[in-house]
């Protein structure tokens, strides 16, 4: 034993160091079994967290990107170590019990990345993901491990086509509502359903996946232009290979995720989310990302950024265009350059390439091209202020999230229509029992109550399809799809299962949604609310074993990102 070299295990020691010396011979033996040679132990060990699966088109096109990343790592002098991460398809699970596993999967993915990177002492990690929770889950794992890391987004989907109209996943949900209202034939519904998703890639509008990928590009944790590329196009594969090369350089420079994901970088990301009309889910996920990065960030910071950031892009769900159109118009770098020139972006933030944001954008034009109208100039925005507003009031003292731009009637007061589950609410819409002026209340769908805080695209899509998107309000302690728009308010906190006021709303109560004053109020005397609270009993947990039970037990409030380690 005296001739053996003992390598101390310290927080900064990584995998390429632990195989030195005779005491580590068993470790080397296992690498030799996988084809490693003597010289490989001097190279960085780089994880490739591969989200490929045939569960969903969002992820079924990822293997070619993981293969390209492996090729890039090896060409740049690294050893690629591939491991898997799971995914849940929000689009497929929507409206079912499976939707309750979507947010849970964010935590599972982050655990996978952290566990493999730390357990195998990898020197860096490249995460490849497609569907909505792949992005926040992957980044949270990267931040926990805090070794040099880069995110490779799987890419957006190309639009479907029917009767001269572009289609996407939200087209299907809205078509269901149109069909139920008698405004769309069964044959047209069938054709839309069959043609909406023509191949691989994530949902095509500025929905959650494209919102988060765009935000990651703004953070500097992904390469420029990569967030709006289409999965079927060769440039996406080339970008994955280039991402691997950049990662190897970051390993040499020791650029870590927590060096990149600072408060100023998060401000940049949120500004881009506002400018592009991104998903309400970005609020939940960036609260969680900031928590994981150790950055002080609250739900009120979104409102601070919203008030000074205009909406520059005309993108679905409430606009005209898809992510592929944004890409052709100049992509996220063009949006960022406009914001930078207007003093709305921090140009000194570090990116994974080692350059600052300002250096990265140096060659991007100051103004958008005149031959397109996807990206507006700062002097002619879609809206003067951002679209994701934080509302407060006696119904949501911790805050809640609403998309407020594009509404013809930003203020409404109406009678509550109460539902303790999504399915009964959807049935009421499809059966024609919801009328203009109603305020639907969907509750016991929060992080603990759902559990898992499911998205409400089925009922909101049905409202739009039935022509009620502007005249019916909907509030919930659950979430909304990035494809949702209309008079909707989500993430109501505290949630019903935690004894929030939303639990005490009764059928017919008057509710006010005021997007102008940023208010969400139950128009019932406080004494009556207190009386109802005294008579309330928390419901029994829906799950008592497994990941859902663990999530429900540990989940923080939506106003804290629904993280599981907010101890």
């Amino acid at each position: 034993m005296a001739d053996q070299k003992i390598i101390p295990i310290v927080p900064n020691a990584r995998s390429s160091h632990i195989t030195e010396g005779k005491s580590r011979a068993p470790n080397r033996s296992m690498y030799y079994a996988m084809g490693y040679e003597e010289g490989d132990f001097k190279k960085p060990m780089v994880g490739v967290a591969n989200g490929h699966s045939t569960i969903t088109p969002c992820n079924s096109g990822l293997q070619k990107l993981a293969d390209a990343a492996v090729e890039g790592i090896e060409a740049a002098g690294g050893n690629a170590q591939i491991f898997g991460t799971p995914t849940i398809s929000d689009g497929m699970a929507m409206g079912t019990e499976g939707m309750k596993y979507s947010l849970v999967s964010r935590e599972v993915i982050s655990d996978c990345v952290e566990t493999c990177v730390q357990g195998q002492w990898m020197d860096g990690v490249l995460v490849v993901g497609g569907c909505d929770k792949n992005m926040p889950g992957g980044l949270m794992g990267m931040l926990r491990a805090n070794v040099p890391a880069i995110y490779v987004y799987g890419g957006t989907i190309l639009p479907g086509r029917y009767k001269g109209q572009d289609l996407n996943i939200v087209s299907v949900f809205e078509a269901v509502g149109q069909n139920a209202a008698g405004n769309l034939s069964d044959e047209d519904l069938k054709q839309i359903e069959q043609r909406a998703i023509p191949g691989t890639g994530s949902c095509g509008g500025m929905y959650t996946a494209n919102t988060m990928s765009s935000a990651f590009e703004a953070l500097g944790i992904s390469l420029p232009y990569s967030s709006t590329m289409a999965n079927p196009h060769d440039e996406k594969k080339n970008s994955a290979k280039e991402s691997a090369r950049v990662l190897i350089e970051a390993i040499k420079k020791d650029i870590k995720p927590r060096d990149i994901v600072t408060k100023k970088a998060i401000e940049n990301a949120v500004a881009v989310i506002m400018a592009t009309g991104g998903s309400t889910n970005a609020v939940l996920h960036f609260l969680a990302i900031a928590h994981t990065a150790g950055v002080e960030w609250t739900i009120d910071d979104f409102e601070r950024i919203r008030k000074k950031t205009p909406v520059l892009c005309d993108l679905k769900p409430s606009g005209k265009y898809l992510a592929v159109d944004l890409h052709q118009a100049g992509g996220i770098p063009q949006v960022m350059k406009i914001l930078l020139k207007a003093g709305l972006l921090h140009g000194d933030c570090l990116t994974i390439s080692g350059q600052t944001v300002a250096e990265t954008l140096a060659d991007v034009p100051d103004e958008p091209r005149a031959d397109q109208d996807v990206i507006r100039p700062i002097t002619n925005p879609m809206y003067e202020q951002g679209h994701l507003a934080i509302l407060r009031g006696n119904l949501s003292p911790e805050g809640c999230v609403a998309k407020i731009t594009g509404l013809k009637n930003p203020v409404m007061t109406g009678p509550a229509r109460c539902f303790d589950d999504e399915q009964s609410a959807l049935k009421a819409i499809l059966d024609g029992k919801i009328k203009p002026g109603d305020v639907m209340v969907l509750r016991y769908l929060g992080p603990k109550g759902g559990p898992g805080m499911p998205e409400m695209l089925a009922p909101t899509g049905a409202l739009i399809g039935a022509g009620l998107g502007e005249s019916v309000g909907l509030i919930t302690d659950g979430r909304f799809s990035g494809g949702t728009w209309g008079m909707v308010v989500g993430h109501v906190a505290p949630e019903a299962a935690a004894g929030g006021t939303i639990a005490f709303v009764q059928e017919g109560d008057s509710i006010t949604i005021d997007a102008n004053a940023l208010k969400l109020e139950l128009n019932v005397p406080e004494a009556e609310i207190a009386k109802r609270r005294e008579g309330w009993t928390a419901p029994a947990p829906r799950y008592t074993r497994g990941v859902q039970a663990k999530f429900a037990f540990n989940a923080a409030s939506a106003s804290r990102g629904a993280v599981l380690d907010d101890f």
Side-chain angles (χ1 to χ4, degrees), residues 119-144:
Q120 296 303 124
W121 278 31
M122 295 172 183
D123 296 298
V125 62
L126 182 150
V127 182
V128 186
C131 204
D132 294 4
K133 308 310 171 294
N134 293 188
M135 267 72 73
L139 180 54
M140 288 162 67
M142 290 155 61
L143 285 164
R144 290 181 197 166

Side-chain angles (χ1 to χ4, degrees), residues 394-476:
N394 66 355
L395 253 178
S396 190
E398 290 182 13
C400 53
V401 186
K403 279 186 179 179
I404 65 172
T405 50
L407 296 176
K408 295 177 183 176
N409 302 303
V411 180
M412 73 175 297
T413 296
R417 303 296 308 280
C418 299
F419 302 91
D420 291 349
D421 62 84
E422 179 186 3
Q423 288 69 33
S424 60
L426 178 61
K427 186 176 187 302
I429 298 167
L430 297 179
D431 289 348
K433 295 180 179 178
I434 302 300
K435 305 300 181 183
D438 286 345
V439 179
M440 299 183 70
V441 179
L442 279 64
R443 59 194 176 190
Y444 295 104
L445 295 165
K448 294 181 179 297
M453 209 177 174
E455 293 179 355
M456 301 291 110
L457 181 57
T460 59
L463 284 173
I464 298 297
L468 297 171
E470 295 278 3
S471 60
V472 169
L474 190 153
I475 69 171
T476 180

Side-chain angles (χ1 to χ4, degrees), residues 36-71:
Y36 280 65
E37 299 178 354
E38 189 71 24
D40 287 325
F41 299 109
K42 297 179 181 180
K43 300 176 181 178
M45 302 292 189
V46 184
V48 176
N50 184 5
H52 172 81
S53 74
T54 56
I55 286 175
T56 169
C58 306
N59 289 51
S60 62
L62 297 187
Q63 188 59 51
K64 63 183 179 183
L65 305 185
D67 292 342
V70 169
E71 184 181 342

Side-chain angles (χ1 to χ4, degrees), residues 3 47 60 64 71 123-124 142 174 219 248 252 254 263 286 295 334 370 429 445 462 484 516 518 533 541 548 566:
D3 63 340
S60 62
K64 63 183 179 183
E71 184 181 342
D123 296 298
M142 290 155 61
E174 294 182 359
L219 277 176
I248 296 296
K252 294 175 183 177
D254 197 31
K263 185 166 186 175
F286 266 94
V295 172
Q334 181 64 82
I429 298 167
L445 295 165
T484 294
N516 293 333
L518 304 179
R533 181 178 282 110
Q548 287 285 8
D566 188 20

